Every structure is written in structure tokens, then in C-alpha cells.
Amino acid sequence: MNIFAEIRGLIIATLDQMVAEGALPEGLNFDPITAEPPRDAAHGDMATNAAMVLAKPAGMKPRDIAEALAARLADDTRITSAEVAGPGFLNLRLAASVWQQVAAAVLDSGTGFGRGSLGQGQKVNVEYVSANPTGPLHVGHTRGAVFGDALASLLDFAGYDVTREYYINDGGAQVDVLARSVYLRYLEAHGQEVAFPEGTYPGDYLIPVGETLKAKVGDAYVGQDESVWLAEVREFATEQMMDLIRADLKALGVEMDVFYSEKSLYGTGRIEAALEDLKSKGLIYEGVLEPPKGKKPEDWEPRVQTLFKSTEHGDDVDRPVMKSDGGWTYFAPDIAYHYDKVQRGFDALIDVFGADHGGYVKRMKAAVSALSDGKVPLDIKLTQLVKLFKNGEPFKMSKRAGTFVTLRDVVDQVGPDVTRFVMLTRKNDAMLDFDFDKVLEQSRENPVFYVQYAHARVSSVLRKAAEAGIDVSEAAIKGADLGKLDHEAEIGVLRKLAEWPRLVETAARTNEPHRVAFYLYELAGDFHGLWNRGNDVTSLRFIQEGDAQTSQAKIALAQAVAIVIAAGLGILGVNPAQEMR
RNA sequence: GGACCAUUAGCUCAGCUGGAUAGAGCGCUGCCCUCCGAAGGCAGAGGCCAGAGGUUCGAAUCCUCUAUGGUCCGCCA
């Protein structure tokens, strides 16, 4: 149930009728017509721009259309008044019963309220995290992980068939570096003194990996040439790292559907197949790139390379897919990977990258556009940096200084729920300040707490009501007389609840899960506001002593708020709190 | 030199993909605590939406240019 969509439908139907009666010309486009909550509540419950949008194509004055429309709409029982305002807005006021029914709808649908049909079962692939399997996940990955995961849940909620996917970069040179680093730890486990030269990973997290390797192969690799052990150790180390990463993700509550290996693209003809597809479209050629301007190309030499004509699909320059030594560039397997996604039949693709990969957006979009003949849209969301603070003081991450902050550090300190919520309190492309102390503060300025608190308060009301002998069973609450919710403050909360389905749609359409977090904060604010007014106006309290029926109606409202909060938090991957400690 | 992202209240940020008098939290000012949970509440002040053009009934939102900040820019994955 989306009341805005319903009223918009009513408006369109009324306009159709006006066309049939000759009050409006035929052939008008009604698509741009909206029914939205006005910014200023004084303008009523809902406003439509119909008259202004239609005025020009219909060759009529906006106010004339608006007045004719208003007269007809006023006949509908749901609408109590329709007034023309400003340049031609039509402001509608809705009957209290319309809003009261929102609570009934929420109770009826439970956390499924607002679940949308926007996606219509279309298959969407959301690729996120995709960190190199060379070590534990750090804070930067955490934001990408939370964002991608929440986005996936949001799209699922909006009616898409979502696949969560992680691309394992296990095919490049960095996994060789990993293997050599593990080998050093392996030697160390055998009692040897080792040094970590430039270009290896000296992190402590590889110590147990070296020991596990020792336990597995004994001294078989000691003193052996790299050619003997590199391939084996690489595979072993990659698996170990992926186990680590999977465990990190699990700690954060992220579960992938698919882990896709880059390595599986090599030697299987898949890269070749993808490039062959581009070649058949005339998008592969041998050529020489211009040196980048402005940047000092010290050892620049013009070289003939195999290039993808990405400029045909919106990129700025063509991109090399093969190195001068005949090996693939990193871009080649990326193309093959996305080719594979297209072939798996997804209707839309989403990649979540860190902002430092912003330079790859155009070329990836170009590749997908070319590979799918423009049929599969690729949206790339970049997540900006997370700046860490401790009690207001910024601190820098440094591997060397040992102040390297991992995903695990964050989750262990503040918990997965807080971590996830806070990561979504900013738009994905805005920088985020993360203060280890402030996120645990219990005050209004901490949205995590504020939203959780609202949910907990509802639980508290239910407990208190039960103690007072009020029947708060599901049946009793569902059967409550919602007509008793007639105070303007209560209607206000109902209005906010009514916006939820609409918000889900907008957030899903723009791929912006942070909107859910902001909405929840607003809803919680409205609910707390109503609660606080009960301090002065006793008739607004949720429990009305000696009046079980009124209490039940108010509890129904509170319950509806809790349900929508739980649904929203569910999308964000956060568990709602039953009580605050 | 170029690309991408940002620029909104003193501070940190939203702004429903073009709607009416631009919002929230913090901070500031003033009131309020024997009251279902005051880890607060209510009210108020505070804005040339970086700047300049353009598009149209209408722009913080779309286009162009400029300024400032960030990220990135042949074979490194």
C-alpha cells in the first residue's frame, strides 16, 4: 500500500475522465504528474503538479485545469479538501481515516510493508568488497562492504532478484607477492631468521599461515627453488586469505552469494572469448596511445599495444588490454568478468568501488555497454574515504606504525550494528568521519542510538501495557479502533509511516541506501516527539489507564512504528534493539 | 594538461533525481525537570545553496564557464 501512488492513480483516472468528457484535449502525457507530500505541512497532506504540467500541452491556464480537477477530486471520500494554490498547485487534504488505515496496513503486512514491485523480479548483480586476497579487510573495505550489502538488501526489498558477488583478484602479480611472503613465514616457522624485503607483506597475520603451511607440507619446500613451490603456496595462501576475509565479512554480517575467481578466467579461453566479442564489433585494434599530458612521463616510449576502442562507448581514451610483453593487462580479465555477468543474464549490474578507483568507471561502463550492446546498464558506486577519530582526535592509519585499523578492529570495538549504521549515515560519495567514541554515545546526535531507542521504547510500552492488564496480543492490536488516533501529533507519525513505501522506491531507484538511514532517523524523531508530548498532554500517552481500547489503538501506532523501523534496519543489516543498556 | 566527485546555517551534513517561505543535529539565546524512561523537552536567532551566465511556468537540483578542495590519470591488480 502506497498512499501516494493510490492518490496519483486517482488523479490520473480523474484526468482520463476529463479527457473523455472533453474538458481536456486528448493525447496528453500524464507521466510527469506527481503526488507528493508538500515540504510545508501547512499546504496540506499531498500536492500535485498536474495542472502546471498539463497547462502548456493542453493550451489552458494552469489554474483552470486545477480548479476543474479539484472539483472532481473533492467527490472522493478519501479527500476532504482540494485547494488551488500558488502557480497552480493543487493541495489535497486527506481524511484522517486514510492515515489511520496506514497503521492497519503496516500491522497487516508486518516488515513486508513497503516491499515494492519496482524491480519486478529483474535480475541485478551487485559486486562489492572484491578486496585483493592478500590480507584482512580494513576500514575502507568496511564501508564498501556495508554499502554494497545494504544496497543489495534494498534492491531485494524493492522487488529485484539480487545476487551478491565478490570478485577475487587472485590472478595477478600481487598473489605471487603474497605467496613469497607466506613462504618467508613458513621458513620462519622452521626456525629460520627471515627478513622481509621491499615488495613483500610483513604483516603478522601471515605468521599463522606460515605455520599452517608447515603443518601441511612439513619441510618439503625448505631450501627449494621458487619454481618448486610458488604455484602451490599461492593457491594455499589465497585460500587462507579468503577464509580470513570470509570470516571478517561474517563478523560484519555480510554473506555473499558468489565468489568469482579472476584466476578462473585465465587459460580457459574466457578472456579470449570476451575480447573476440569486442573484436567482432570492430572495437579492438593495434595502436599507439598519446602520452598523458601534464604528467611527467619519465620513461615514456610510444609502444604499439592491443587497444579497446572504449571511446566509442563514452571513454576519454582507448585502453590497452594487452601488455607489450604479450600478457594481459588487468583490464582484460575485468572485461571478461563483466562479459560473464552479462552472459549470466543479469538485467542490470552494479559495481561498488573505492573512490580511488574512480578512474576505471568510464572504461568499465564502456566495456559493459559494448559487450551487451547497450542493453545492460552498469551503475558504479564509489565509496569515499573513512576518516577515523578517537574522542574527537583524528588518527592516521599506518601499517608501519602499527595503527593499521582492520574491519575486525572496528567490529570488535563497536559491534556490527553500530558499524553498519554509521557507515550509512553519509551519502556514499561523501567522506565519512568515524569516531570510535561518539558512535557509542547515547544521545540524540547519535542516530544509531536514537533509532534503536525508538524501537526499544515500543517494546517498553508493550511490556508496561501487558503489566497493566491490557491485551496486547496480535489479534487485539490488529483489531484496535484506529479511529481513536485522531490527534494531529498522531496523524503526523502516521504520515511519516505512509512515506516509507515511497522512500524505498526512491532509494532503490537511485541506488542510495543511506536514504533509509536518514528516513529512520526522521521517523524515530517523530515518534520521540510524540512520546515527549505525552509528558505535557497525558491523553497522548500510549497507555491510557482504565481505557484499554484507546490504549490498544495507540499501541497499534507504536507497533507500526516499530515494524517499519525493524524493516528499515533489516535493509541496513542492523538488528533492532528490544531494550537499551 | 585532462577526467571524476564534492562545495548548502558558525560546525557536521540531508534535500525525495525540476516545485511553493531550503531542512536536521551540534553550537548559540530564552524557557521547562514531583509527569508512561529527562542517557532530556519546547521555542528562537542563524542562508546571495561557492561565483557568473543559460534552459522554463518554476533551478540548491539540469547545461556551460570560473574558483576552491579531494581522488585518479600509459604495460603497476
Side-chain angles (χ1 to χ4, degrees):
Chain A
M1 171 197 171
N2 181 342
I3 186 66
F4 298 97
E6 277 182 29
I7 298 298
R8 181 174 183 275
L10 171 66
I11 291 166
I12 303 286
T14 308
L15 290 168
D16 278 333
Q17 196 189 331
M18 286 168 70
V19 171
E21 292 168 6
L24 282 173
E26 300 199 10
L28 293 172
N29 177 19
F30 294 157
D31 290 343
I33 293 175
T34 59
E36 310 178 292
R39 223 183 292 213
D40 189 339
H43 292 138
D45 295 324
M46 210 174 283
T48 179
N49 60 355
M52 285 180 291
V53 171
L54 298 178
K56 202 172 187 182
M60 298 169 67
K61 289 182 191 166
R63 292 191 70 96
D64 290 346
I65 299 177
E67 276 163 24
L69 180 60
R72 286 172 166 79
L73 288 175
D75 289 342
D76 193 276
T77 53
R78 288 168 289 185
I79 293 171
T80 54
S81 83
E83 290 172 8
V84 183
F89 278 104
L90 188 52
N91 291 333
L92 306 175
R93 284 178 201 283
L94 272 51
S97 61
V98 172
W99 301 114
Q100 289 153 359
Q101 284 316 301
V102 172
V106 175
L107 293 171
D108 209 46
S109 312
T111 49
F113 177 73
R115 199 169 259 284
S117 53
L118 182 72
Q120 296 184 314
Q122 286 191 77
K123 287 179 66 179
V124 179
N125 182 291
V126 184
E127 181 207 330
Y128 56 109
V129 192
S130 297
N132 289 341
T134 55
L137 300 176
H138 58 70
V139 263
H141 298 128
T142 309
R143 187 169 185 191
V146 170
F147 175 82
D149 204 49
L151 174 57
S153 299
L154 170 64
L155 293 175
D156 177 86
F157 196 80
Y160 290 89
D161 178 4
V162 179
T163 299
R164 297 155 197 260
E165 192 152 321
Y166 185 120
Y167 180 58
I168 309 170
N169 287 105
D170 55 3
Q174 83 283 359
V175 285
D176 288 342
V177 173
L178 172 72
R180 293 189 188 102
S181 308
V182 167
Y183 182 73
L184 290 173
R185 290 298 185 188
Y186 164 79
L187 294 180
E188 196 177 49
H190 278 285
Q192 294 192 23
E193 284 279 326
V194 297
F196 286 85
E198 195 71 18
T200 55
Y201 303 130
D204 290 346
Y205 61 90
L206 291 180
I207 293 173
V209 180
E211 281 166 359
T212 310
L213 181 60
K214 177 189 170 190
K216 188 185 170 201
V217 303
D219 59 2
Y221 296 154
V222 176
Q224 296 291 325
D225 188 77
E226 189 172 291
S227 60
V228 174
W229 50 262
L230 185 64
E232 302 283 331
V233 174
R234 189 170 51 206
E235 184 152 338
F236 172 79
T238 307
E239 276 172 21
Q240 294 282 307
M241 288 303 102
M242 284 312 297
D243 283 348
L244 183 67
I245 287 170
R246 267 185 258 257
D248 281 354
L249 289 175
K250 195 175 177 191
L252 190 62
V254 174
E255 206 160 320
M256 296 287 174
D257 297 314
V258 176
F259 284 89
Y260 195 100
S261 163
E262 176 194 359
K263 206 172 58 186
S264 72
L265 296 166
Y266 291 93
T268 53
R270 300 167 92 158
I271 296 176
E272 291 80 355
L275 294 179
E276 192 54 43
D277 182 88
L278 294 177
K279 202 167 191 173
S280 72
K281 290 166 180 164
L283 295 171
I284 299 288
Y285 69 104
E286 303 290 320
V288 180
L289 287 177
E290 295 281 315
K293 292 171 183 168
K295 201 188 154 205
K296 318 271 188 277
E298 287 180 19
D299 55 348
W300 171 272
E301 298 168 33
R303 280 177 187 154
V304 177
Q305 298 169 79
T306 305
L307 299 168
F308 164 46
K309 205 182 281 182
S310 55
T311 46
E312 294 268 307
H313 288 267
D315 202 356
D316 305 310
V317 291
D318 292 339
R319 306 290 176 178
V321 295
M322 194 182 271
K323 297 189 276 191
S324 51
D325 68 1
W328 301 116
T329 64
Y330 56 85
F331 187 38
D334 283 347
I335 291 173
Y337 174 45
H338 283 78
Y339 184 54
D340 185 78
K341 287 193 209 173
V342 170
Q343 290 205 313
R344 274 187 275 157
F346 290 106
D347 298 299
L349 305 179
I350 299 173
D351 290 352
V352 179
F353 295 160
D356 54 340
H357 287 64
Y360 307 112
V361 170
K362 282 193 179 179
R363 75 189 66 170
M364 282 320 310
K365 285 190 174 180
V368 170
S369 169
L371 292 165
S372 72
D373 298 315
K375 285 177 189 149
V376 179
L378 167 67
D379 190 13
I380 298 183
K381 307 299 275 188
L382 302 177
T383 55
Q384 260 293 354
L385 245 63
V386 178
K387 285 199 288 184
L388 296 170
F389 292 82
K390 205 144 195 150
N391 218 353
E393 294 294 314
F395 69 95
K396 287 226 158 61
M397 285 213 309
S398 157
K399 281 186 183 177
R400 197 164 300 229
T403 54
F404 182 77
V405 179
T406 63
L407 177 148
R408 203 48 91 92
D409 292 335
V410 178
V411 171
D412 286 350
Q413 278 193 48
V414 307
D417 288 337
V418 170
T419 303
R420 293 185 65 121
F421 198 105
V422 172
M423 290 289 173
L424 292 165
T425 53
R426 289 285 178 274
K427 222 172 359 183
N428 59 288
D429 52 9
M431 282 212 259
L432 173 78
D433 292 347
F434 189 99
D435 190 308
F436 282 94
D437 301 300
K438 284 191 178 166
V439 298
L440 293 176
E441 252 172 42
Q442 300 196 333
S443 70
R444 173 160 195 166
E445 57 190 296
N446 181 357
V448 194
F449 164 77
Y450 202 61
V451 172
Q452 292 278 30
Y453 188 24
H455 189 270
R457 268 185 159 167
V458 176
S459 303
S460 164
V461 168
L462 285 171
R463 279 195 303 271
K464 297 251 175 190
E467 284 167 21
I470 296 168
D471 183 358
V472 293
S473 66
E474 194 181 322
I477 298 305
K478 274 191 183 175
D481 177 11
L482 298 173
K484 291 182 180 299
L485 299 173
D486 56 358
H487 192 282
E488 156 268 319
E490 292 165 334
I491 301 283
V493 174
L494 289 167
R495 277 199 196 97
K496 198 76 198 173
L497 289 173
E499 285 178 30
W500 172 239
R502 199 168 164 274
L503 181 116
V504 168
E505 265 194 44
T506 306
R509 203 173 50 239
T510 53
N511 293 329
E512 293 182 340
H514 76 275
R515 290 176 190 271
V516 173
F518 280 93
Y519 169 83
L520 293 178
Y521 181 66
E522 288 168 15
L523 174 61
D526 286 356
F527 179 73
H528 287 307
L530 175 60
W531 183 288
N532 290 327
R533 289 190 64 173
N535 290 330
D536 297 326
V537 186
T538 54
S539 66
L540 283 178
R541 297 184 183 181
F542 289 94
I543 299 170
Q544 296 292 313
E545 256 176 74
D547 187 347
Q549 290 195 346
T550 303
S551 298
Q552 282 165 341
K554 291 171 185 294
I555 289 166
L557 170 62
Q559 183 73 288
V561 170
I563 286 169
V564 170
I565 287 179
L569 289 178
I571 289 171
L572 307 184
V574 176
N575 294 302
Q578 299 308 316
E579 57 181 336
M580 306 305 294
R581 298 199 184 88

